[in-house]
């Protein structure tokens, strides 16, 4: 027994998805177009000012702990560079002022914490000595990296943040009287 054949009608070709060029499935909307490489870079996650400071503190602390353990100021300097780079690259444009003013104090806090965590019997004296020696050894790193991240932050919008702060302070001063 054979089944009766159905009459075949010619229909329009299926709609094609603009993103992939493949036929779109019925009942589904076509997939959105993929962003270009430049658009992907703009859509990467952005950190708030607090998030950037937290990232810096964690990276500084890890670098300082490894540096103290290895008795190497090079590792502490590399940790400083990595923390600053991550914060400046991934922070929101509005947070640039916080990001560029915080690293020296955050590095000192992380360094003192690392020294206290790894100190021997006389913890306070050992931590003070280790902190001063590490700061002396990382001074060139601190200077060069600070100049570098200030340059990157300037390209990412630091002057605009400074102008906005000045305008806000001028507005507050004018309303107070």
């Amino acid at each position: 027994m054979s089944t009766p054949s159905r009459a075949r009608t010619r229909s329009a070709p299926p709609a094609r998805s603009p993103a992939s060029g493949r036929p779109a499935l019925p009942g589904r909307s076509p997939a959105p177009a993929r962003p270009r490489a430049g658009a992907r870079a703009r859509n990467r996650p952005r950190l708030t000012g607090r998030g950037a400071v937290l990232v810096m503190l964690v990276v500084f602390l890890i670098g300082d702990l490894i540096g103290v353990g290895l008795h190497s100021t090079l590792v502490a300097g590399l940790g400083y560079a990595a923390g600053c780079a991550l914060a400046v690259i991934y922070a929101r444009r509005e947070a640039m002022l916080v990001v560029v003013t915080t690293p020296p104090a955050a590095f000192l806090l992380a360094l003192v914490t690392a020294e206290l965590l790894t100190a021997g019997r006389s913890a306070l004296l050992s931590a003070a000595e280790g902190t001063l020696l590490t700061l002396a050894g990382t001074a060139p790193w601190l200077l060069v990296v600070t100049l570098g991240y200030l340059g990157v932050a300037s390209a990412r919008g630091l002057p605009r943040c400074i102008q906005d702060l000045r305008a806000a302070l001028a507005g507050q001063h004018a309303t107070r009287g």
Side-chain angles (χ1 to χ4, degrees):
M1 289 197 181
S2 68
T3 58
S5 63
R6 293 185 184 170
R8 294 186 186 188
T9 58
R10 199 163 210 190
S11 61
R16 300 231 175 236
S17 169
S20 65
R22 289 182 267 159
L25 298 174
R28 291 191 182 175
S29 61
R34 285 186 173 171
R36 286 181 259 139
R40 262 187 255 145
R42 286 188 295 265
N43 290 336
R44 67 178 163 232
R46 293 289 178 195
L47 297 171
T48 62
R50 289 183 210 158
V53 170
L54 183 63
V55 166
M56 283 188 286
L57 275 171
V58 168
V59 173
F60 294 166
L61 184 61
I62 291 170
D64 290 337
L65 284 170
I66 294 170
V68 168
L70 297 175
H71 302 291
S72 171
T73 58
L74 176 68
V75 177
L78 287 173
Y80 182 73
C84 291
L86 288 172
V88 168
I89 291 170
Y90 287 104
R92 293 180 182 166
R93 194 169 304 243
E94 306 84 37
M96 280 298 126
L97 197 55
V98 172
V99 170
V100 299
T101 56
T102 305
F107 181 75
L108 180 63
L109 178 67
L111 180 59
V112 169
T113 303
E115 291 291 341
L116 284 172
L117 288 174
T118 59
R121 283 190 260 175
S122 57
L124 192 56
L125 183 60
S126 177
E129 176 188 2
T131 300
L132 291 176
L133 290 173
T134 303
L135 283 175
T138 58
W141 280 94
L142 298 176
L143 177 64
V144 171
V145 170
T146 300
L147 292 175
Y149 79 73
L150 282 173
V152 172
S154 293
R156 290 218 45 240
L158 179 62
R160 177 68 181 178
C161 290
I162 294 171
Q163 289 173 353
D164 292 345
L165 177 64
R166 283 184 181 163
L169 291 175
Q172 284 181 352
H173 188 267
T175 58
R176 287 186 184 175

